[in-house]
Amino acid sequence: METNRFETFFDAIIAIVITVLVLKIPQPASPTLNAVLDLHTMYIAYLISFLILYNLWYANHNLFQLVETIDNTTLWIYGMMTFVISLIPYFTIWLANNPNSVAAETMFGLLFIVTHILNTLATKAVYRSNPYNKNLQEINHDSYYMNLPLILIIIGFILTYSGYSKGIYYTCLTSIVLWILIGRIIRRKKNG
């Protein structure tokens, strides 16, 4: 399949998920600064989810600039990832409404882990379906640094199940920032 058509589809899905996500944020109870600050967990959960979606979009946009076709395996992996990211608004709101819930934290963390794993598998599938693409060979996404966000989230699970109820919540935020920074470093090496 040509990547232009698929990239348009993937971009639309991410745009819809972000729109649904922002529409789930409630309005403050009153027009005061305290009412806005009372929703801080909602804003942080939204920020984490937005950064996950934006990073997926940006990474895949850069990847698809280098390839012209993808195979069926890649499409199926992206299909699974699309299903998973469509759940982000649901679990974001659940976490934001229950920031001290271990169940909400766990599901949010698992969603992040599955998204990261599927993105890694999708990237590898794109590489496999384009074995002679010199641009892809130069980037080399097979960096061990890409596993650091997963390790950080596992630490968050340990913290959450050891008694610090917001461990996954905060390590998800730190992980997505780390994921973005690692991606930037890899792209800079390619360009520089």
Side-chain angles (χ1 to χ4, degrees), residues 98-119:
N98 304 288
N100 295 316
S101 165
V102 173
E105 291 268 333
T106 300
M107 291 308 298
F108 191 76
L110 287 174
L111 188 69
F112 185 95
I113 288 171
V114 171
T115 301
H116 186 79
I117 289 169
L118 287 172
N119 186 59

Side-chain angles (χ1 to χ4, degrees), residues 37 51 62 83 90 115 123 133 162 170:
L37 294 177
L51 288 174
N62 288 330
F83 171 76
Y90 178 81
T115 301
T123 302
N133 187 321
S162 297
Y170 289 120

